[in-house]
Amino acid sequence: MSSVSRLAEVQEQIRDADSRIANAHSANRVSFQVLIGSVFVMAWLIYAAFGKQVPGWSFLLPIPAAIAAGRWHGRNRDRWLRLTRLRKFHERREARLEDRWHGDGLSGDEFKIADHVYSQDLHILGSGSMFELMATARTGIGRRHLAAYLLEPASREEIELRQQAVRELVPQTELREKMDLLGKFSFQESDWSVFAEWLAVRPTPVPAGLRIVALVVSVLLAGIVIAGFSSSLPLQWIAEAAIPLFAILMTVAWINRQYTKVINGAAARVGVDVGVVREGMELMSTQTFQCEKLARLQQLLNNANAARLLHRLERVTNLLAQCEKPQFDLFAQALIIRTQLSFAIEQWKNDYGSQLKAWLAAWGEFEALIAISGYAWEHPDDVFPEFVDGEGWFEAKGLGHPLLPESTCVRNDVTLGAGNRFYVISGSNMAGKSTLLRSIGLNAVLAAAGAPVRASSFRLSNLNIVASLSIVDSILEGKSKFLAEVDRVRSMLEHARRGPVLFLIDEILSGTNSRDRRFASEAVIRALIKNRAIGALSTHDLALTEIASIAGLAGSNVHMGSAPGGGPMDFDYRMKPGVTRETNALAIAAMMGVIAS
């Protein structure tokens, strides 16, 4: 199915959602009217009963209708909320298919890593980034894993397992809808940091005997009080029996007051975040998966009964939240329910806390794969890359930039390997040199994440990516742009010594004079090639194009420039063989208005 067909399908789903939302809204209005009508009838019957016009028990008659109407109203309201969220899900998907997504999604800035070797250069995170385009994961845990897929290298075996999982998930559009609708409200979250902070504090469970004593005493005290109100037992007897029990409970609460305060503060945040993850794990457990990675993630959660155990934690933390409400506060204090719930929460943490990280990691990976499968579904013309054996291979036909609209994306063929280890790309400003470098790097990142790439065919070996395309100075660190670039080149060389590298450099060592730049650049390229790296560098300095001709380095010169027969600024963004011979100084001066055009 083409992108156009998928857009038409999404637009039809939006129209269907609109129709269903209208029906749900009408049913919601009717059910509310029935509920209000039942309440009015009940009130009138009560009034009439006082006037002896009807039997006193008659006000009970509308109660079943009121209960039924209330439940109907609740179901209609929940259905309306769910359909509204579903419509927004389809609208966001439509915006991505129509290339209207820039700046409206999640930037992923919270996942930025200082001095990362390609994140800023390839626009992995930030507004309008690769992450924003792909970040459809429901929870912060899933988005964290998606960022890790885009930022961290993986073995070839792991990448191929991701590919298999994404391929299996691509046609499962209904599953992606259900994932997006997890939780009653869209603002409900599950953030990794909340769980990490909670787990970082070592559990200190109380002895089982104390927990049992506190529970038994609470039950006895509640029973005595209830018996006192519902029977004719002497008040003195009730007081003599209740006061010692109450004293025991208050002593337990007083001794553990600080312990309870700390535990309950952290547990309240976990209780809010655990619901969406628990629902997601329940949904995941109902699926049938064929590929190894998905089956393994599902098995890990199912074998541990993760969803059931998280539900238990959720119930306890929800009870804790109910104790904070004014109507339950006195009752909760008298029976030290908060203290007993804190005992239960800490015991849960002691029993299952060590497993929780593994459960959340499995869920996060599943969400990341779901997000990538959604990206793959929205880009049906992209292809899954083929990984090959050996070191240093990158071969792409029709390679394009994944963040550009498909309708305007200009594609190029790129081949890097033993016979051609690097390109020196010359050309004017705005000719497309940097875009070509980012096309190479971004597609390599997508390949490593297990995602399809913007190309008609793509073969590569497993490569670590290092880039120097968007280096800036830092006043706070006292580091100039030139020094920052030197540090990045040093990092490139260190990576190259550890394994196969794909390097991408825009205007290498631009902060020095042409003669020194030529000498230093050759030294850098020699060191990279010596360690079997492959890559490309762009330059305006034609002296650097001589490096590609040096025997033994196996480089080649290519250039970007104007279209055949066009003007000096009429760029076609096609990669052409050889060194550029074009000049556009006069055209640039005319653009600035310093000379007549």
Side-chain angles (χ1 to χ4, degrees):
M1 185 186 296
S2 68
S3 297
V4 174
S5 300
R6 298 201 169 175
L7 176 59
E9 178 183 336
V10 169
Q11 290 170 338
E12 177 59 33
Q13 289 168 332
I14 292 173
R15 287 191 290 271
D16 178 63
D18 282 335
S19 174
R20 294 163 65 190
I21 286 171
N23 292 336
H25 183 69
S26 298
N28 194 31
R29 186 171 60 250
V30 171
S31 62
F32 183 73
Q33 291 169 346
V34 172
L35 175 61
I36 295 299
S38 300
V39 171
F40 271 113
V41 170
M42 194 185 310
W44 181 84
L45 288 173
I46 292 173
Y47 174 78
F50 279 106
K52 307 299 184 181
Q53 299 175 17
V54 296
W57 52 264
S58 61
F59 77 93
L60 299 174
L61 294 175
I63 290 179
I67 293 173
R71 290 181 176 177
W72 183 29
H73 176 64
R75 286 195 300 270
N76 288 330
R77 181 195 57 215
D78 291 346
R79 180 167 173 261
W80 178 82
L81 286 172
R82 188 175 180 85
L83 288 169
T84 302
R85 289 175 60 188
L86 181 62
R87 189 187 195 284
K88 289 181 179 178
F89 169 79
H90 290 311
E91 285 178 336
R92 292 192 298 268
R93 196 161 54 159
E94 180 187 42
R96 290 190 297 271
L97 287 168
E98 292 184 337
D99 200 52
R100 295 185 285 105
W101 57 272
H102 306 79
D104 290 333
L106 298 161
S107 68
D109 284 335
E110 66 271 29
F111 305 117
K112 283 186 176 178
I113 300 171
D115 298 322
H116 192 272
V117 291
Y118 62 76
S119 176
Q120 181 175 336
D121 305 86
L122 301 179
H123 204 187
I124 301 298
L125 302 173
S127 179
S129 66
M130 198 71 243
F131 179 87
E132 183 184 344
L133 179 57
M134 301 181 78
T136 56
R138 173 65 181 85
T139 73
I141 297 171
R143 294 190 288 275
R144 178 176 178 267
H145 277 265
L146 176 62
Y149 272 21
L150 295 172
L151 296 174
E152 298 173 8
S155 66
R156 175 179 169 180
E157 179 185 12
E158 168 63 18
I159 294 169
E160 290 177 339
L161 288 173
R162 292 175 185 177
Q163 272 193 11
Q164 294 169 14
V166 172
R167 286 177 186 271
E168 182 173 340
L169 291 170
V170 168
Q172 298 196 38
T173 55
E174 186 177 347
L175 176 59
R176 285 191 290 277
E177 289 179 7
K178 290 179 179 178
M179 291 281 286
D180 193 73
L181 296 175
L182 292 174
K184 187 172 183 179
F185 304 103
S186 59
F187 58 77
Q188 287 179 269
E189 250 301 353
S190 292
D191 199 324
W192 170 262
S193 63
V194 171
F195 293 97
E197 289 172 10
W198 185 58
L199 293 173
V201 180
R202 185 176 180 180
T204 53
V206 300
L210 178 58
R211 294 176 58 200
I212 293 171
V213 168
L215 179 61
V216 170
V217 172
S218 294
V219 172
L220 287 174
L221 179 60
I224 289 171
V225 172
I226 292 170
F229 279 106
S230 60
S231 67
S232 57
L233 290 173
L235 184 62
Q236 182 180 355
W237 183 91
I238 295 172
E240 289 176 353
I243 288 174
L245 297 177
F246 184 72
I248 293 172
L249 292 181
M250 290 303 102
T251 302
V252 172
W254 176 258
I255 293 172
N256 293 279
R257 65 190 185 282
Q258 292 300 328
Y259 170 87
T260 301
K261 183 178 180 181
V262 172
I263 291 172
N264 291 357
R269 294 189 294 274
V270 171
V272 171
D273 279 38
V274 75
V276 177
V277 171
R278 187 264 307 163
E279 279 189 38
M281 290 181 183
E282 289 175 347
L283 173 63
M284 185 178 173
S285 68
T286 64
Q287 307 301 308
T288 301
F289 298 121
Q290 303 300 321
C291 76
E292 179 183 343
K293 188 170 185 67
L294 293 174
R296 191 170 62 207
L297 293 173
Q298 184 185 53
Q299 186 178 25
L300 186 154
L301 296 174
N302 287 352
N303 288 351
N305 288 317
R308 180 178 62 81
L309 293 171
L310 286 176
H311 202 186
R312 184 191 303 176
L313 176 63
E314 185 182 10
R315 285 198 300 268
V316 176
T317 54
N318 284 343
L319 285 173
L320 184 63
Q322 293 299 316
C323 290
E324 301 300 325
K325 294 182 177 180
Q327 60 266 38
F328 301 125
D329 182 64
L330 182 62
F331 179 73
Q333 289 193 47
L335 299 180
I336 65 166
I337 293 176
R338 290 189 188 88
T339 302
Q340 296 189 66
L341 289 173
S342 70
F343 292 166
I345 290 168
E346 201 68 354
Q347 188 63 48
W348 191 100
K349 183 179 177 182
N350 183 68
D351 293 341
Y352 307 110
S354 58
Q355 301 175 53
L356 180 56
K357 282 188 177 180
W359 300 346
L360 296 178
W363 168 252
E365 279 215 77
F366 181 66
E367 271 205 281
L369 294 167
I370 285 285
I372 294 172
S373 73
Y375 171 82
W377 187 89
E378 291 166 6
H379 297 82
D381 298 327
D382 290 1
V383 300
F384 284 93
E386 175 190 352
F387 281 85
V388 298
D389 295 325
E391 295 182 348
W393 184 257
F394 185 105
E395 179 186 7
K397 303 294 184 184
L399 184 75
H401 196 298
L403 295 178
L404 293 176
E406 291 187 39
S407 58
T408 59
C409 179
V410 177
R411 299 171 180 252
N412 287 283
D413 295 343
V414 176
T415 302
L416 297 166
N420 179 48
R421 302 207 69 85
F422 68 98
Y423 290 125
V424 177
I425 309 172
S426 56
S428 305
N429 276 316
M430 301 182 292
K433 302 188 301 300
S434 299
T435 301
L436 176 60
L437 292 175
R438 289 187 171 90
S439 298
I440 294 170
L442 260 180
N443 281 292
V445 169
L446 288 175
V453 297
R454 180 68 62 82
S456 56
S457 68
F458 197 21
R459 299 171 67 242
L460 75 163
S461 57
N462 195 20
L463 298 160
N464 286 327
I465 305 158
V466 285
S468 177
L469 307 178
S470 301
I471 303 297
V472 296
D473 58 3
S474 174
I475 296 175
L476 294 178
E477 297 179 9
K479 185 183 291 186
S480 67
K481 180 178 183 295
F482 180 73
L483 182 56
E485 185 180 5
V486 168
D487 285 346
R488 179 60 58 82
V489 171
R490 184 186 296 117
S491 178
M492 283 185 180
L493 296 172
E494 290 172 356
H495 277 79
R497 284 189 284 269
R498 293 197 295 265
V501 157
L502 172 66
F503 67 89
L504 303 163
I505 309 175
D506 190 21
E507 293 299 333
I508 184 170
L509 303 175
S510 58
T512 187
N513 65 72
S514 181
R515 180 176 176 277
D516 289 347
R517 185 185 191 191
R518 164 69 176 78
F519 178 80
S521 298
E522 180 182 337
V524 169
I525 297 301
R526 282 188 180 276
L528 289 168
I529 299 306
K530 180 182 177 181
N531 288 287
R532 300 178 300 281
I534 59 173
L537 64 148
S538 68
T539 183
H540 294 97
D541 189 345
L542 297 186
L544 269 60
T545 61
E546 299 170 5
I547 298 173
S549 304
I550 297 174
L553 291 186
S556 62
N557 276 304
V558 295
H559 70 277
M560 312 285 283
S562 58
M569 304 297 288
D570 183 19
F571 302 118
D572 61 4
Y573 310 113
R574 302 284 183 184
M575 189 173 72
K576 308 172 184 68
V579 179
T580 183
R581 300 300 176 193
E582 298 179 354
T583 59
N584 59 3
L586 293 177
I588 293 173
M591 286 177 62
M592 295 186 292
V594 294
I595 65 171
S597 57

